[in-house]
């Protein structure tokens, strides 16, 4: 399929059209799956379950089969789900979160409340509506990962339980809402981090006699955030207003005075300032960088009026629009080569990379934050 001839607006419009068609097809697929199970055609075709039919015969992944069969069974009980899925108001992940709570009495209310919500927003709302108790603080050694036997899932027609619908998944680092204002934090820590947490609990025992892990982490993050705000945002405890004279404040690694960084970040609300043609502003608040409106290579200065906050992705987009994609790719390749040569040392041989135990990106990011925080606390 050749897409290069399409205008930008046409390409974005085509995606919206395709998504609408995909949602309508998904709703039709749910009706077919529900009817197949109702007629027990999967059994007649030689498959012991709907799950087996979807995975082995139709080539779905285990996750696809799980969500679609679950949604089809719910839609048989509550037919309004078909139209909600077809319109895009309700996604299959939302149905997976809702299925334990839906009843004949409340399904209209819950489905309406879930419509249009992202998964994370729906998790928070469900935690407020169906609160769970706080989890006790603990540090435990993880057992070896083994595929667990799937628990039964009761079909909508009251037939025999379907054990195959439970999928074994590794638990990633995440924040899980428990009730209003309360969250369960879960991630995998190294033995070094575990020792630092234990030592922090000991050193804080007078101020934290219950040995609450959340207290240690929050105190450590307070220290870390103060350091990060100083280095990344140029923040001071009592910031001084910028003078009309030449700024002589200490400079950061980018060569921009901290007072200037602080004023730009405050002015732009610590959020990417990129605005799309339709007026939508980028909502990114992570991986923020200071971007020169008039590029430095073309004589632009480092004063406040020539700086703006951009996320890394939009900063790169601006650079490609200004200098060309090929030029930016060549510069990026050159920096990577220089970095490799620097790590290799004088012998020209790159060091053997370490082989740590693999982690998910979420586990790695959250563990790194806590490790930095614990080091700051110890200091």
């Amino acid at each position: 399929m050749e897409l290069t001839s399409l205008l930008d607006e046409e390409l974005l419009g085509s995606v919206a059209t395709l998504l609408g068609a995909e949602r309508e097809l998904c709703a039709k697929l749910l009706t077919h799956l529900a009817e197949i199970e109702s007629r027990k055609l999967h059994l007649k075709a030689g498959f012991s379950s709907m799950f087996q039919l979807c995975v082995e015969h139709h080539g779905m992944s285990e996750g696809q089969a799980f969500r679609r069969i679950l949604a089809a069974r719910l839609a048989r009980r509550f037919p309004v789900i078909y139209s909600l899925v077809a319109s895009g108001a309700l996604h299959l992940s939302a149905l997976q979160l809702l299925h334990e709570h839906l009843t004949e009495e409340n399904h209209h209310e819950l489905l309406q409340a879930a419509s249009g919500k992202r998964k994370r927003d729906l998790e928070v709302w469900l935690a407020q509506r169906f609160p769970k108790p706080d989890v006790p603080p603990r540090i435990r050694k993880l057992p070896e990962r083994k595929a667990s036997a799937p628990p039964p899932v009761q079909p909508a027609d009251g037939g025999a339980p379907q054990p195959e619908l439970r999928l074994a998944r590794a638990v990633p680092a995440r924040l899980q809402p428990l009730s209003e204002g309360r969250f369960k934090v879960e991630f995998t820590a190294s033995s070094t981090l575990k020792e630092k947490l234990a030592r922090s609990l000991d050193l804080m025992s007078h101020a934290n006699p219950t040995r609450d892990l959340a207290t240690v982490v929050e105190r450590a993050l307070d220290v870390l955030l103060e350091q990060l705000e100083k280095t990344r945002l140029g923040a001071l405890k009592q910031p001084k207003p910028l003078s009309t004279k030449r700024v002589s404040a200490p400079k950061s690694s980018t060569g921009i005075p901290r007072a200037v960084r602080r004023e730009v970040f405050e002015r732009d609300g610590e959020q990417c300032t990129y605005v799309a043609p339709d007026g939508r502003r980028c909502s990114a608040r992570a991986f923020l960088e200071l971007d020169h409106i008039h590029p430095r290579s073309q004589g632009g200065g480092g004063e406040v009026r020539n700086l703006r906050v951009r996320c890394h992705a939009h900063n790169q987009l601006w650079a490609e629009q200004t200098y060309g994609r090929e030029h930016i790719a060549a510069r990026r390749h050159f920096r990577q080569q220089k970095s490799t040569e620097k790590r290799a040392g004088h012998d020209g041989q790159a060091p053997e990379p370490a082989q740590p135990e693999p982690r998910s990106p979420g586990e790695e990011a959250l563990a790194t934050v806590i490790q930095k925080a614990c080091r700051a606390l110890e200091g």
Side-chain angles (χ1 to χ4, degrees):
M1 181 181 295
E2 184 62 42
L3 298 177
T4 55
S5 61
L6 292 179
L7 299 175
D8 293 350
E9 295 78 8
E10 293 175 333
L11 186 60
L12 291 172
S14 295
V15 170
T17 301
L18 291 171
L19 281 173
E22 181 186 40
R23 289 160 180 159
E24 291 181 359
L25 285 174
C26 181
K28 291 180 180 179
L29 176 60
L30 297 184
T31 64
H32 283 66
L33 293 178
E35 186 65 19
I36 287 173
E37 186 168 34
S38 176
R39 299 186 189 185
K40 301 187 185 301
L41 298 183
H42 57 289
L43 299 178
K44 296 177 182 178
F47 297 95
S48 62
S49 65
M50 284 293 296
F51 187 81
Q52 188 180 24
L53 172 74
C54 291
V55 172
E56 297 184 10
H57 183 66
H58 293 297
M60 296 184 191
S61 70
E62 287 83 353
Q64 285 178 318
F66 174 83
R67 287 186 291 272
R68 282 154 180 77
I69 296 172
L70 181 62
R73 290 174 177 173
L74 288 174
R76 285 176 61 191
R77 293 175 57 196
F78 313 115
V80 67
I81 288 176
Y82 291 126
S83 60
L84 292 174
V85 171
S87 67
L90 205 60
H91 47 76
L92 301 187
S93 295
L95 291 173
Q96 185 176 348
L97 293 173
L98 288 169
H99 81 276
E100 296 180 350
H101 307 292
L102 291 174
T103 66
E104 294 292 341
E105 293 75 21
N106 69 12
H107 73 278
H108 284 294
E109 175 196 355
L110 295 188
L111 293 173
Q112 183 65 33
S115 296
K117 279 187 170 61
R118 297 180 304 173
K119 181 179 179 180
R120 289 189 176 182
D121 295 334
L122 182 56
E123 287 177 330
V124 172
W125 184 84
L126 285 174
Q128 295 171 353
R129 177 65 185 272
F130 305 99
K132 299 177 182 178
D134 287 0
V135 295
R138 61 176 178 173
I139 301 176
R140 66 182 180 90
K141 183 177 180 180
L142 291 178
E144 294 183 5
R145 292 182 179 178
K146 296 181 180 179
S148 58
V153 176
Q154 190 71 24
D157 59 3
Q162 299 281 333
E164 71 285 349
L165 289 184
R166 166 76 178 276
L167 305 179
R169 294 188 178 95
V171 179
R174 63 175 309 195
L175 297 173
Q176 179 183 354
L178 295 174
S179 59
E180 187 171 5
R182 310 293 291 175
F183 295 82
K184 174 184 177 182
V185 181
E186 189 175 45
F187 66 98
T188 301
S190 66
S191 58
T192 302
L193 177 54
K194 182 260 182 186
E195 292 171 0
K196 290 180 178 180
L197 286 171
R199 186 180 179 212
S200 298
L201 287 169
D202 291 338
L203 294 175
M204 288 185 65
S205 57
H206 291 287
N208 183 27
T210 62
R211 301 180 67 84
D212 180 25
L213 279 173
T215 301
V216 172
V217 173
E218 186 169 6
R219 285 280 300 277
L221 287 177
D222 286 340
V223 176
L224 178 63
L225 284 171
E226 182 178 341
Q227 294 178 348
L228 290 175
E229 289 171 354
K230 181 178 180 180
T231 57
R232 296 292 298 163
L233 308 181
L236 299 174
K237 290 184 177 180
Q238 294 180 345
K240 299 178 181 180
L242 280 178
S243 170
T244 56
K245 299 180 180 179
R246 181 178 179 87
V247 176
S248 59
K251 294 185 177 182
S252 66
S253 59
T254 61
I256 300 173
R258 289 177 179 170
V260 173
R261 292 179 62 85
R262 179 172 65 252
E263 181 168 335
V264 175
F265 273 102
E266 289 178 354
R267 181 198 67 197
D268 295 343
E270 298 181 23
Q271 179 181 336
C272 178
T273 58
Y274 178 82
V275 178
D278 63 358
R280 181 189 180 278
R281 179 179 175 180
C282 175
S283 60
R285 294 183 178 273
F287 301 102
L288 298 179
E289 303 171 349
L290 288 185
D291 174 45
H292 290 74
I293 300 172
H294 186 53
R296 285 183 296 179
S297 61
Q298 299 177 7
E303 61 274 9
V304 171
R305 66 176 179 272
N306 192 47
L307 294 172
R308 61 190 173 191
V309 175
R310 285 283 171 91
C311 66
H312 178 73
H314 279 123
N315 197 358
Q316 291 295 300
L317 175 65
W318 174 255
E320 291 179 358
Q321 291 173 340
T322 304
Y323 299 103
R325 181 175 298 182
E326 294 78 8
H327 176 75
I328 297 300
R331 288 187 58 185
R332 188 181 298 118
H333 179 67
F334 176 76
R335 288 196 300 267
Q336 291 173 346
Q337 280 188 322
K338 295 291 289 184
S339 178
T340 301
E341 292 172 2
K342 184 177 181 180
R343 290 196 303 268
H346 299 289
D347 58 3
Q349 298 295 323
E352 286 292 326
Q355 300 294 331
E357 182 178 353
R359 289 178 176 173
S360 70
E363 290 174 330
E364 189 66 41
L366 189 53
T368 300
V369 168
I370 302 300
Q371 284 180 325
K372 289 182 180 179
C374 288
R375 284 199 295 269
L377 191 71
E378 291 176 3

